[in-house]
Amino acid sequence: MSQDTPGSTATAAATSQQGDALENLLHEDRKFAPSADFAANAVVGAEVYAEADADRPAFWAKQARELLTWNKDFTQALDWSNPPFAKWFVGGQVNAAYNALDRHVENGLGDRVAIYFEGEPGDSRAYTYAELTEEVKKAANAFESLGVAKGDRVAVYLPMIPEAVITMLACARIGAVHSVVFGGFSSDALLSRIEDAQAKLVVTADGTYRRGKPSALKSAVDQALAADGHSVQNVVVVKRNGQDVDWHEGRDHWWADTVEAASPEHTAVGHDSEHPLFILYTSGTTGKPKGILHTTGGFLTQTAYTHKAVFDLHPETDVYWCTADIGWVTGHSYVAYAPLINGATQVMYEGTPDSPHQGRWWEIVEKYKVSILYTAPTAIRTFMKWGRDIPDKYDLSSLRVLGSVGEPINPEAWMWYRDVIGGNKAPIVDTWWQTETGAQMIAPLPGVTETKPGSAQVALPGIAVDVVDENGASVPNGHGGFLVIREPWPAMLRGIWGDPERFKETYWSRFETMYFAGDGAKKDEDGDIWLLGRVDDVMNISGHRLSTTEIESALVSHPAVAEAAVVGAADETTGQAVVAFVILRGDAVDSGDEIVQDLRNHVGKEIGPIAKPKIVLVVPELPKTRSGKIMRRLLKDVAEGRDTGDATTLADNTVMAQIAASLKK
Ligand code: WTA
């Protein structure tokens, strides 16, 4: 494949609007057009935008019929008579597991590998579509024999092992609703989610491996279920790491004795298009977690379509790897469902990127000849910190599309990803979406879009995204505001489990008739969209609204910086002052005042003097949630000299102590 061509320089005449609008301060003039080769072989071309614009529901109805096999065809694409409660593909019946598995086997693809599993200790297993279908049928029979029926909820507390996907698909097959709880969450978090959904069955494992060491899971289930009064009747336990477990006779069952012993014959029946598929609780920085509800037909259609279009999936030849854990929405939409619906071959990895060494991911890419990689900016910045000599040791030439999700990707991280991982040829697709949206909403199409480092670009075909001001009026190009979705979309959340009022209030009350996503964004001069982070992360410095994302990106564009987090701390003079926390790259030297001055000046040059951090603190780590998002709230506490509040949702709870120690030096 020939190289992408850096395109012409379109200097965005970034009119720096001062006042209420979020400001457009960064000038990004690097552009990368798809190569002619890539465009010629791309699965979708530019015509899809016009087609979708002409009739959005009809566009999605066409995708639904092309991508899925329906037990009963639907009669209406969209029913929006009772907003914000949408119904997609009304009257249709469909089975998610049949679409992900059986039909591929019936179509002669039974021998194609569905999952290459790579365990952290180095064990590996491959499942063909025929084998995975058989496992899911057995699990469906086993769960039914334990009394799980259509509509019942099943809590899943498993590591990244194939049994997680098997469990999710077995639930979907019988119409049970899975609620996956991330394996890193505590027993309390598990119990509150079990109780909220009134789960009947829990599927877990004895434990997993974390950085070479066994790490327990079942003990947390035992702890959660210690008190009476919960809804759980049975617990199925996968043997993964062989560690000792307590056993509750009658309640606990080994996977090997139930699932493996069950019959491999099971017929999938169609479920209503609007039948609940899963609940997934969002981490939520405050308050009770929200059980985001997704249903079947619309979710499957949009995840499958975006997976095909945004990653340019050629299922016969591609090897796809999404590094997200099954505990997050990305692990639902783009590990458990879309790749299998599309008949793809995918890699699934159990462990951490640095176990047993910092080249583990690249070793996996080389081993399986991964061609599509989908990961998060936090991982990319970590690899930048470790240095390019690590990935440089591996053959990454199989990679042809690189995806990013979860946070704004800083332009320099984007460039590093493109250069070091993608060999300056693989297009980068930065995909914006949320647990609530169910599937990707804003992203380039790799064979069509001329991409700019750091921009998620444009709404996908059939999706109506806008940036509006406080009154809900669309802002012109060159301006910023609030990101909204104007029209219902197939994979949209159908509500918050058990709380329809909270659904309306959380997402549909800020602007009438529009879904407000909680993110700030700007449209550049070309109308391309730049995500600016959650609106609560916007700072107000001397009356100018500045986005944390833009200043962080400016810091990361300095050669010494791998990661940066910026907060606004209360300041007598300026209202708020910019305080920056930075992690230096592996080869950079902490020269004290010198580097601090250098970084301040660098931000001044990149954005403007107003954005210069008042304080720059060099720290060894940053506080992050388990899904990799920086917790600025805790940094704000540090910057304002308070004790840090509740830090229990941190991935690594020693980080705040490390920061405190480094600040005392
Ligand atoms: C952020 C993850 C910028 C955003 C799929 C959103 C992003 C929240 C991007 C949802 C992106 C996700 N660029 N920001 N490409 N992708 N976000 O529910 O703030 O874990 O609202 O879903 O992540 O996070 P969630």
Side-chain angles (χ1 to χ4, degrees):
M1 193 184 312
S2 66
Q3 291 216 173
D4 282 5
T5 36
S8 64
T9 306
T11 318
T15 32
S16 166
Q17 283 289 312
Q18 304 200 332
D20 279 337
L22 287 156
E23 295 168 31
N24 181 1
L25 294 164
L26 288 182
H27 303 248
E28 183 55 68
D29 52 16
R30 293 167 291 197
K31 287 189 182 185
F32 300 91
S35 70
D37 265 12
F38 196 102
N41 294 311
V43 290
V44 300
E47 68 288 347
V48 287
Y49 294 106
E51 190 194 335
D53 282 349
D55 187 340
R56 211 170 261 120
F59 171 80
W60 286 117
K62 180 179 157 197
Q63 308 311 327
R65 291 196 175 101
E66 271 182 25
L67 293 163
L68 301 177
T69 306
W70 294 77
N71 294 69
K72 183 167 166 242
D73 193 17
F74 48 90
T75 51
Q76 189 186 4
L78 167 66
D79 175 358
W80 190 232
S81 57
N82 180 30
F85 299 93
K87 290 193 180 131
W88 281 90
F89 313 128
V90 183
Q93 289 183 354
V94 65
N95 188 292
Y98 173 81
N99 275 276
L101 301 163
D102 312 43
R103 63 168 178 160
H104 300 313
V105 180
E106 289 167 13
N107 291 339
L109 302 176
D111 291 339
R112 181 181 290 174
V113 172
I115 297 178
Y116 285 116
F117 169 68
E118 184 77 16
E120 197 191 79
D123 55 323
S124 54
R125 275 182 275 167
Y127 288 82
T128 63
Y129 272 94
E131 288 165 342
L132 198 64
T133 305
E134 187 169 314
E135 292 302 313
V136 169
K137 287 180 173 178
K138 287 199 257 179
N141 282 322
F143 297 169
E144 281 181 334
S145 73
L146 292 172
V148 178
K150 182 166 175 169
D152 287 342
R153 274 79 58 207
V154 174
V156 182
Y157 190 65
L158 281 168
M160 271 306 272
I161 55 176
E163 287 82 352
V165 173
I166 293 168
T167 297
M168 292 161 82
L169 291 174
C171 289
R173 189 174 188 94
I174 61 182
V177 183
H178 57 72
S179 163
V180 180
V181 180
F182 175 56
F185 280 145
S186 67
S187 60
D188 284 352
L190 174 63
L191 180 60
S192 68
R193 287 157 173 77
I194 287 174
E195 283 182 331
D196 188 70
Q198 292 289 296
K200 237 179 168 176
L201 171 71
V202 178
V203 184
T204 189
D206 49 358
T208 177
Y209 299 92
R210 227 58 206 151
R211 301 209 160 78
K213 294 196 198 74
S215 154
L217 279 168
K218 180 163 189 294
S219 55
V221 176
D222 292 337
Q223 221 178 321
L225 302 183
D228 289 340
H230 57 73
S231 50
V232 175
Q233 296 168 355
N234 292 287
V235 178
V236 171
V237 188
V238 178
K239 190 176 266 197
R240 171 60 188 141
N241 69 2
Q243 71 175 98
D244 284 341
V245 289
D246 287 344
W247 204 252
H248 296 247
E249 234 18 271
R251 185 197 75 185
D252 296 349
H253 316 270
W254 286 111
W255 178 278
D257 300 337
T258 44
V259 175
E260 290 307 332
S263 155
E265 302 299 329
H266 188 279
T267 307
V269 298
H271 301 298
D272 191 88
S273 177
E274 282 298 332
H275 184 68
L277 185 61
F278 66 85
I279 306 168
L280 181 59
Y281 290 83
T282 52
S283 42
T285 39
T286 49
K288 182 170 165 252
K290 301 180 285 241
I292 303 299
L293 173 67
H294 283 286
T295 61
T296 310
F299 174 85
L300 296 178
T301 300
Q302 193 182 332
T303 52
Y305 177 73
T306 51
H307 183 255
K308 177 182 102 166
V310 174
F311 298 125
D312 187 47
L313 181 77
H314 292 74
E316 326 71 51
T317 46
D318 275 319
V319 178
Y320 164 84
W321 181 20
C322 168
T323 64
D325 191 276
I326 217 80
W328 313 115
V329 72
T330 310
H332 284 59
S333 306
Y334 297 102
V335 177
Y337 288 102
L340 299 173
I341 297 283
N342 286 336
T345 295
Q346 70 175 323
V347 171
M348 185 174 189
Y349 172 54
E350 178 184 29
T352 49
D354 54 353
S355 195
H357 56 82
Q358 294 178 334
R360 185 67 191 270
W361 277 23
W362 316 121
E363 192 177 76
I364 293 173
V365 168
E366 184 178 278
K367 174 172 173 186
Y368 294 104
K369 299 196 169 38
V370 172
S371 57
I372 304 171
L373 178 69
Y374 192 26
T375 191
T378 180
I380 299 161
R381 293 187 306 250
T382 302
F383 294 126
M384 281 170 78
K385 182 170 73 184
W386 292 345
R388 75 171 292 158
D389 49 317
I390 296 168
D392 278 351
K393 288 192 205 116
Y394 299 88
D395 177 6
L396 307 182
S397 60
S398 55
L399 289 169
R400 58 175 210 93
V401 178
L402 301 175
S404 174
V405 62
E407 274 185 295
I409 177 165
N410 320 100
E412 284 322 306
W414 194 104
M415 290 301 294
W416 191 92
Y417 195 23
R418 182 183 156 84
D419 175 22
V420 178
I421 306 304
N424 268 317
K425 66 171 171 63
I428 294 186
V429 285
D430 177 13
T431 63
W432 179 89
W433 59 293
Q434 306 177 295
T435 304
E436 291 87 341
T437 70
Q440 297 163 351
M441 303 291 281
I442 306 177
L445 293 176
V448 177
T449 317
E450 188 180 42
T451 54
K452 299 172 190 166
S455 170
Q457 309 281 157
V458 287
L460 284 163
I463 301 297
V465 159
D466 202 356
V467 181
V468 299
D469 66 18
E470 342 217 270
N471 304 318
S474 186
V475 303
N477 287 353
H479 292 252
F482 304 94
L483 185 72
V484 295
I485 305 165
R486 287 190 175 278
E487 301 287 340
W489 63 101
M492 69 193 283
L493 75 165
R494 298 303 197 267
I496 294 177
W497 186 254
D499 202 344
E501 275 315 305
R502 192 172 175 203
F503 169 56
K504 286 192 206 166
E505 191 191 296
T506 311
Y507 304 105
W508 303 90
S509 62
R510 178 70 182 77
F511 301 105
E512 224 176 304
T513 74
M514 291 188 278
Y515 170 91
F516 173 46
D519 285 6
K522 70 184 181 194
K523 294 180 191 166
D524 69 14
E525 292 298 327
D526 304 325
D528 287 325
I529 294 173
W530 296 72
L531 276 307
L532 298 174
R534 309 292 298 171
V535 287
D536 354 322
D537 290 338
V538 169
M539 297 172 295
N540 197 319
I541 316 291
S542 306
H544 303 301
R545 290 178 65 175
L546 294 171
S547 118
T548 52
T549 300
E550 282 177 313
I551 301 179
E552 286 162 7
S553 290
L555 286 162
V556 176
S557 74
H558 188 284
V561 177
E563 275 209 84
V566 162
V567 296
D571 185 277
E572 279 180 10
T573 326
T574 53
Q576 283 191 318
V578 179
V579 179
F581 295 78
V582 298
I583 301 181
L584 299 181
R585 289 207 200 189
D587 54 357
V589 197
D590 181 0
S591 54
D593 285 351
E594 198 180 314
I595 181 92
V596 167
Q597 263 322 319
D598 198 21
L599 291 177
R600 294 187 68 240
N601 292 338
H602 181 71
V603 174
K605 183 167 68 60
E606 291 287 309
I607 304 181
I610 180 89
K612 269 192 184 178
K614 182 168 177 188
I615 301 173
V616 177
L617 301 163
V618 176
V619 291
E621 268 308 332
L622 289 170
K624 287 181 193 154
T625 63
R626 292 181 167 88
S627 66
K629 297 191 204 310
I630 296 170
M631 287 193 72
R632 293 186 182 72
R633 178 170 61 78
L634 298 179
L635 293 172
K636 204 169 151 92
D637 287 341
V638 173
E640 295 183 343
R642 275 188 306 277
D643 276 350
T644 47
D646 180 17
T648 49
T649 51
L650 283 184
D652 173 357
N653 54 20
T654 64
V655 165
M656 292 316 291
Q658 289 180 43
I659 292 176
S662 75
L663 299 185
K664 282 205 195 88
K665 277 197 277 178

